[in-house]
Amino acid sequence: MTDLAKHPQLSPSAYVVLGMILLGRRSGYEIKQTVEMSIRFFWTISPAQIYPSLQMLEHGGLIRGKNDPRGRLPRKSFTVTRAGKSAFEQWLLAAEELPFELRDVGLLKLFFADLAGADQAVKLLETIGNRSEARIVQLQVIRRAADSIATDEGYSFPLATLRLGIAYHKAIVEECGIIRRELTARIRQTGRR
Amino acid sequence: MTDLAKHPQLSPSAYVVLGMILLGRRSGYEIKQTVEMSIRFFWTISPAQIYPSLQMLEHGGLIRGKNDPRGRLPRKSFTVTRAGKSAFEQWLLAAEELPFELRDVGLLKLFFADLAGADQAVKLLETIGNRSEARIVQLQVIRRAADSIATDEGYSFPLATLRLGIAYHKAIVEECGIIRRELTARIRQTGRR
DNA sequence: GAAAACATGTAAGTAGTTACATGATTCG
DNA sequence: CGAATCATGTAACTACTTACATGTTTTC
């Protein structure tokens, strides 16, 4: 428990692992699966991060693991300790800045679109809009899974994050359309002159 | 020029450096400044990346630098070579997937909000909404700089990326409000029973 | 009986950060 | 004359990814 002092600040990804176990995911494999069908649109985490995180959290006394093989298939089941639960809640309720990072090559190219032709810029806007439309479809598929998690397990906030994701991409689709129409109108005007 | 073969794919950040020089930024310092007041909301790049990138691009024959001191203050001015310009345009027009990565601790905490109290969840939603509202204000300040870039230098697409950013955060603010109201209504109902 | 899914992990490499080091010039 | 800004760069570190290694069980 005093090991906590050695881990004054876990990374957000470590809290994801901890939180997923609190939500009932037992193994690294299950955590990875749940991440893929829930938070992957605003947080990714690979097996090469999950397994060392599990070791680190166990070392720090926040989780406890025991071998739980399926037949001859090795498997480790984890549960969260009291210290782990309180560490997670502390993180969840902490009044810290909430880091928000976006890396979007689409917007990057759009920023430089003056260096390309106007027709190329229109294409870019279409690509960006289409990308968000495809994302909306993906999110709506996941939404079904979130619905069943809400009814089966009683967790309703995964649904809220999905709704925010969908709202976000709908706004992008709409604004891309507006900008594209303005641009094509301007192209037509310039062309006629 | 055949050095290009050694750089089959530059990183997006390298293209940012290249593009910024094409937009008239001469030194690493100027590039950093422009990044800070334009693309930083969807792409960040630190001096520790810019200066090695400049060396690498010069080595690859895509840019050319010459010493251009201000008095005794050392400064290096870069220009883009023909090879550099064509490499940039190739990237800009390439029909590649446009990587989009989001890392949002706010949504992460919201995802796990079932593990906290409902009142805490309401607070989280407020924090996330406020964060987007603050971001909108920042973007609108930058927008003035983008306006003058549009009129002074004739570059209009930086403005388009800002509009997309604003649209995005407005959608978040709105949806956060909706979810929050739903939640408080549900709390009130449950409380009365 | 082959392919997909289950399951855990490591090694090597990439991309990026913060903090540091250094010094000149401008502005209030 | 001190603080902010101009200007370039490096070292050490962190976070994360891809690819690999290994073997089991289920499903078609």
Side-chain angles (χ1 to χ4, degrees):
Chain A
M1 269 157 221
T2 39
D3 277 351
L4 259 173
K6 290 183 197 167
H7 306 282
Q9 40 194 16
L10 300 174
S11 69
S13 289
Y15 285 110
V16 167
V17 170
L18 194 54
M20 286 296 179
I21 302 171
L22 276 169
L23 290 184
R25 272 64 203 175
R26 279 154 303 181
S27 63
Y29 190 83
E30 268 186 30
I31 291 168
K32 176 61 182 159
Q33 275 191 314
T34 304
V35 165
E36 283 312 301
M37 62 163 145
S38 58
I39 65 170
R40 78 167 140 135
F41 294 110
F42 50 89
W43 206 273
T44 63
I45 182 167
S46 65
Q49 247 186 305
I50 292 171
Y51 291 105
S53 280
L54 286 169
Q55 286 166 19
M56 190 255 278
L57 289 169
E58 188 172 23
H59 226 86
L62 303 184
I63 61 176
R64 202 172 295 124
K66 61 173 177 202
N67 289 321
D68 182 23
R70 292 291 274 173
R72 261 182 298 176
L73 236 194
R75 189 174 59 169
K76 246 183 170 180
S77 276
F78 292 90
T79 50
V80 177
T81 64
R82 255 172 287 119
K85 201 180 179 198
S86 93
F88 186 82
E89 281 164 359
Q90 220 176 298
W91 170 74
L92 205 55
L93 306 181
E96 51 156 2
E97 288 291 297
L98 299 173
F100 173 94
E101 266 171 72
L102 185 58
R103 300 221 132 205
D104 187 343
V105 176
L107 286 183
L108 210 50
K109 289 192 177 184
L110 188 63
F111 178 85
F112 289 114
D114 290 294
L115 299 171
D119 48 332
Q120 289 294 342
V122 170
K123 266 190 205 165
L124 240 180
L125 279 163
E126 271 166 14
T127 308
I128 293 169
N130 290 342
R131 188 184 58 171
S132 279
E133 255 166 13
R135 184 55 57 93
I136 290 169
V137 171
Q138 287 181 308
L139 289 169
Q140 276 163 345
V141 169
I142 290 188
R143 191 173 178 154
R144 278 174 240 152
D147 279 328
S148 55
I149 285 172
T151 36
D152 298 355
E153 306 182 43
Y155 297 128
S156 61
F157 282 97
L159 204 54
T161 62
L162 278 170
R163 283 174 60 180
L164 283 169
I166 290 167
Y168 164 120
H169 284 288
K170 277 190 176 164
I172 296 294
V173 170
E174 218 172 287
E175 191 74 16
C176 272
I178 294 169
I179 297 171
R180 210 185 56 229
R181 281 189 291 278
E182 284 176 14
L183 191 56
T184 47
R186 229 192 304 157
I187 291 171
R188 241 176 291 139
Q189 274 193 347
T190 328
R192 270 178 197 160
R193 266 177 206 161
Chain B
M1 267 158 222
T2 38
D3 276 352
L4 259 172
K6 289 182 195 168
H7 306 283
Q9 41 193 14
L10 301 173
S11 70
S13 289
Y15 285 110
V16 167
V17 171
L18 195 53
M20 286 296 179
I21 302 171
L22 276 169
L23 290 184
R25 271 66 204 173
R26 280 155 303 183
S27 63
Y29 191 83
E30 269 186 31
I31 290 168
K32 176 61 182 159
Q33 275 191 315
T34 304
V35 165
E36 282 312 301
M37 62 162 144
S38 59
I39 65 170
R40 78 168 139 133
F41 295 110
F42 50 89
W43 206 273
T44 63
I45 181 166
S46 65
Q49 247 186 305
I50 291 172
Y51 291 105
S53 279
L54 285 169
Q55 287 166 19
M56 191 255 280
L57 289 169
E58 189 173 21
H59 225 86
L62 303 184
I63 61 175
R64 202 172 294 125
K66 62 172 177 208
N67 289 321
D68 181 23
R70 291 293 272 174
R72 260 182 299 176
L73 236 193
R75 189 174 58 169
K76 247 185 168 177
S77 276
F78 292 91
T79 50
V80 177
T81 63
R82 255 174 286 119
K85 200 178 178 203
S86 94
F88 186 81
E89 282 165 357
Q90 219 176 300
W91 171 74
L92 205 54
L93 305 182
E96 51 157 3
E97 286 291 299
L98 299 174
F100 172 94
E101 265 171 72
L102 183 60
R103 300 223 131 204
D104 187 342
V105 176
L107 286 183
L108 210 49
K109 289 192 177 184
L110 189 62
F111 178 84
F112 290 112
D114 291 293
L115 299 170
D119 48 331
Q120 289 294 342
V122 170
K123 268 189 204 163
L124 240 180
L125 279 163
E126 273 166 12
T127 308
I128 293 169
N130 290 342
R131 189 184 58 174
S132 279
E133 256 165 13
R135 185 53 57 93
I136 290 169
V137 171
Q138 289 180 306
L139 288 168
Q140 276 162 347
V141 169
I142 290 188
R143 190 174 178 152
R144 278 174 240 153
D147 279 328
S148 55
I149 285 172
T151 36
D152 298 355
E153 306 182 42
Y155 298 127
S156 61
F157 283 96
L159 203 55
T161 61
L162 279 170
R163 284 175 59 180
L164 283 170
I166 291 167
Y168 164 121
H169 284 288
K170 277 191 176 164
I172 296 294
V173 169
E174 217 173 288
E175 191 73 15
C176 273
I178 294 170
I179 296 171
R180 209 183 59 229
R181 280 189 290 279
E182 284 176 13
L183 191 57
T184 48
R186 229 192 301 156
I187 292 170
R188 241 175 291 138
Q189 274 195 343
T190 330
R192 273 178 193 159
R193 268 176 204 160

